[in-house]
Amino acid sequence: MEERISIKDDPAFEKKKGRHEEIIKAAGKIFSSKGFHRARVEEIAKEAGIGKGTVYEYFKSKRHLFVEVIKYFTTKFLKEFKEAARNGKDYREKLENALGLLIDILHESSGFFELLVRDHWEMDERLYQWMVKVRGEASKVIEDILVEGIKAGKIKDINPRIPAMMLIESSRLALFSGDLGDEKMSPGGLKRAIIDVVLNGILR
Amino acid sequence: MEERISIKDDPAFEKKKGRHEEIIKAAGKIFSSKGFHRARVEEIAKEAGIGKGTVYEYFKSKRHLFVEVIKYFTTKFLKEFKEAARNGKDYREKLENALGLLIDILHESSGFFELLVRDHWEMDERLYQWMVKVRGEASKVIEDILVEGIKAGKIKDINPRIPAMMLIESSRLALFSGDLGDEKMSPGGLKRAIIDVVLNGILR
DNA sequence: CCAGATTGACCGACCGGTCGGTCTGAAACT
DNA sequence: AGTTTCAGACCGACCGGTCGGTCAATCTGG
C-alpha cells in the first residue's frame, strides 16, 4: 500500500484496512470449517459481507488469501502464546499457562489448528517454511521455560528440545477429547495430566 | 472332487481381486504424495497400469476409492503395530518395538501418515468414525503394554490412557525430523528419547 | 462368437478468476 | 453552496479450463 498525504485521516484508508482484516477473518472461518479446497471464494465473500470480485481487490488469488490467513492466525497465536509463557511466577506456572492456552485453542476451535496441520503441506515451499518457523518458535517458548527450570535446579540438565516438542504434540490430544468420552480430557485436566507425565514420568 | 465351487480358482475372480488391491496400492501412492484433491483418477489408473474407466469398475467413485485406501492401509498398519507390540520379553521391549515401528513409518514415509491426518477429516462421518476407531485401537495397544508394566509393579498404578496417547502423539515428531537438523532426531534416538521422558520424567 | 472386461474420448458441472460497468464521496471549480 | 469531475472501491455475470464420471467401441479368452 502506497503512502499518501494525510493517510490516517482518510476514511477510505481505514475502510480498506478494515476490509482486509475482515476478509481474512471471514476466510479463516470458512477455511477452517471446510478446508482449502471445499471453501468457495464466493462463500468467503458472503461471510465478509462483500462481493466476490472485491476479494480479488485485496488478494491476488485464493491461494494468496489462504497464505495470509495462515500468517495472520499463527502470528496472533504466537503472540498470545509468548504472552502466556511470560505470565507466571516460576517455570511451572509459566508452563501451565502456555500449554493451557494451546490446549484451550485446540479444544474450543479445533478447526483453526486443523488448518495448520492440513492443506499448507501441499502449498508452496514458502508457506511450508513459514510453518516450520512457527513450530520452531513455539517450541522455543517451551524450551526457554524448561531452561528456567533447569537453571533453578528443578529439572535435569538435559536438552529441552524433545520434552518441549512432546508437550506441544501431546496438546493435540485436546483435538480428540470429544471422541473419548473421558472426563479427564477436559482442557484443565488434560493440561495437568500432560505436564505431570512429562515432569514426573510414570515409573514407580 | 467336484467342480461346483471353484470360485477361488476362477481366473476372473483372482484377477478381479488382484486388480482391486493393485488399484488401492497405486491410489495409496498417488493420494499420499499429492493429497486427495490433487490426485487425478487418470494418474492412479496409469500408476496401476490400467485405463481410467477400469477404476470405476472396481470403485464407485474417487471418494469411495479413497475410503478403501484409508481402510486398507490403516488395517495393515494396526496389524503390524499389534504384532510389534507382541514381540518383546517385557513391557519395555514391547513398547520400544511398537513405537519404533510407528516412528519408522512416520519417518520414512511421512506421506502415508499425512494421509491419515489430512483429507479424511473433510470426508464423510463414516470415515471420521473409522479414524476414531483406529486411533482408539492404537492407543489400546500401548495401554495394554503399560498395564503389563503396572501389573509387574514397574509402573505407577495410573490410568494408562493419557501416557499411551502421549507416546503416540509424540511419535509425530518423526514427521519433522528433517526440519530440525538434530542428530538426536534419528528414528532410533527419537524413540528412546520419547520413551525415556514418559517413563522417567524430566524432574531431577 | 459371445459375455464380460477394458478402454479413453467425450461430456458437462463446477469454480477460480476477470472485467466492464456502477456507485460513492471527496476534491475542484464556479 | 451547488455542480462537476474523477478516482477507485465494489460488484457479479460471465469465461475458460479442469477433471470426475460415463458409455459406445473394442478387445479377449473360453
Side-chain angles (χ1 to χ4, degrees):
Chain A
M1 223 139 288
E2 279 307 302
E3 280 280 322
R4 292 259 216 79
I5 30 163
S6 67
I7 287 179
K8 15 183 177 163
D9 296 343
D10 183 356
F13 176 80
E14 288 300 330
K15 209 170 168 190
K16 187 115 189 173
K17 291 300 269 188
R19 283 275 204 264
H20 188 88
E21 198 165 339
E22 268 170 37
I23 296 172
I24 285 182
K25 283 178 182 169
K29 202 165 168 181
I30 305 298
F31 279 140
S32 64
S33 76
K34 330 184 86 170
F36 179 78
H37 294 284
R38 283 158 61 123
R40 302 286 157 245
V41 174
E42 188 159 11
E43 190 178 3
I44 289 169
K46 203 172 174 187
E47 174 73 28
I50 60 176
K52 179 179 169 184
T54 308
V55 171
Y56 288 89
E57 293 288 326
Y58 292 84
F59 302 93
K60 263 183 66 178
S61 68
K62 185 186 182 187
R63 179 161 297 214
H64 277 79
L65 171 56
F66 183 75
V67 170
E68 292 308 312
V69 168
I70 292 287
K71 289 190 172 175
Y72 178 84
F73 283 105
T74 51
T75 300
K76 190 156 159 263
F77 162 72
L78 277 180
K79 192 170 155 244
E80 288 174 16
F81 194 56
K82 286 171 183 167
E83 180 68 22
R86 207 174 295 118
N87 294 330
K89 63 179 192 307
D90 57 8
Y91 86 96
R92 175 71 191 233
E93 223 177 86
K94 289 175 180 175
L95 202 51
E96 291 199 354
N97 288 338
L99 279 197
L101 173 73
L102 176 56
I103 288 174
D104 283 344
I105 289 178
L106 295 180
H107 183 260
E108 75 197 26
S109 60
S110 58
F112 162 69
F113 196 76
E114 288 288 348
L115 201 59
L116 303 188
V117 299
R118 264 190 1 244
D119 292 337
H120 71 79
W121 83 282
E122 64 178 51
M123 310 304 271
D124 57 81
E125 183 65 10
R126 194 155 308 166
L127 186 49
Y128 181 76
Q129 289 306 330
W130 173 273
M131 289 307 301
V132 168
K133 201 179 125 222
V134 169
R135 261 205 312 276
E137 280 194 48
S139 173
K140 187 66 169 37
V141 169
I142 301 296
E143 284 173 45
D144 286 347
I145 296 175
L146 296 182
V147 166
E148 186 179 329
I150 292 170
K151 284 193 178 138
K154 304 287 191 181
I155 295 178
K156 293 175 192 163
D157 188 9
I158 49 165
N159 180 339
R161 162 153 287 180
I162 291 207
M165 295 188 75
M166 286 175 67
L167 285 164
I168 291 174
E169 288 302 319
S170 296
S171 299
R172 284 172 48 87
L173 294 184
L175 289 173
F176 315 136
S177 54
D179 309 326
L180 298 171
D182 193 328
E183 74 289 348
K184 287 231 186 78
M185 298 294 275
S186 70
L190 186 60
K191 177 188 71 180
R192 266 174 269 116
I194 289 172
I195 292 178
D196 191 55
V197 168
V198 171
L199 291 186
N200 301 312
I202 59 175
L203 288 190
R204 288 185 82 170
Chain B
M1 303 199 174
E2 291 86 42
E3 63 251 9
R4 303 218 275 95
I5 29 177
S6 75
I7 288 179
K8 348 170 191 177
D9 295 343
D10 181 355
F13 177 81
E14 286 300 329
K15 209 170 167 191
K16 189 115 189 173
K17 292 298 270 188
R19 283 273 204 266
H20 188 89
E21 197 166 340
E22 269 169 38
I23 297 172
I24 285 182
K25 283 178 182 168
K29 202 164 168 181
I30 305 299
F31 279 140
S32 64
S33 76
K34 329 185 89 169
F36 179 78
H37 293 284
R38 285 157 60 123
R40 301 290 158 240
V41 173
E42 188 158 11
E43 191 178 2
I44 290 169
K46 204 173 173 184
E47 174 72 29
I50 60 175
K52 180 179 166 185
T54 308
V55 170
Y56 286 89
E57 292 288 322
Y58 292 84
F59 301 94
K60 263 184 66 179
S61 69
K62 185 186 182 186
R63 178 161 297 212
H64 278 79
L65 171 58
F66 183 74
V67 171
E68 292 309 310
V69 167
I70 292 289
K71 289 190 173 176
Y72 178 85
F73 283 105
T74 52
T75 300
K76 190 156 159 263
F77 162 72
L78 277 180
K79 192 170 154 245
E80 287 174 17
F81 194 56
K82 286 172 184 169
E83 182 66 24
R86 207 174 295 119
N87 294 330
K89 62 178 193 303
D90 57 8
Y91 86 96
R92 176 73 192 234
E93 223 176 86
K94 289 175 181 176
L95 202 53
E96 292 199 354
N97 288 338
L99 279 197
L101 173 72
L102 176 56
I103 288 174
D104 282 345
I105 289 178
L106 296 180
H107 184 260
E108 76 196 26
S109 60
S110 59
F112 163 70
F113 196 76
E114 288 288 348
L115 199 60
L116 303 188
V117 300
R118 262 190 4 241
D119 292 338
H120 72 77
W121 83 283
E122 64 178 50
M123 309 303 272
D124 56 82
E125 183 66 9
R126 195 153 308 165
L127 186 49
Y128 181 76
Q129 288 307 329
W130 173 273
M131 290 307 300
V132 169
K133 200 179 126 222
V134 169
R135 261 205 311 276
E137 280 195 46
S139 173
K140 187 67 168 37
V141 169
I142 301 296
E143 284 172 46
D144 287 347
I145 295 174
L146 296 182
V147 166
E148 186 180 328
I150 291 171
K151 284 196 178 136
K154 303 289 190 180
I155 295 178
K156 293 174 192 163
D157 188 8
I158 49 165
N159 181 339
R161 162 154 288 180
I162 292 204
M165 295 187 75
M166 286 175 66
L167 284 165
I168 292 174
E169 288 303 317
S170 296
S171 298
R172 284 172 47 88
L173 293 183
L175 289 172
F176 315 137
S177 54
D179 309 325
L180 298 172
D182 192 330
E183 74 289 345
K184 288 232 187 78
M185 298 293 277
S186 70
L190 186 60
K191 177 188 71 180
R192 265 174 269 116
I194 289 172
I195 292 177
D196 191 54
V197 168
V198 171
L199 292 186
N200 300 312
I202 59 176
L203 288 191
R204 288 183 83 172

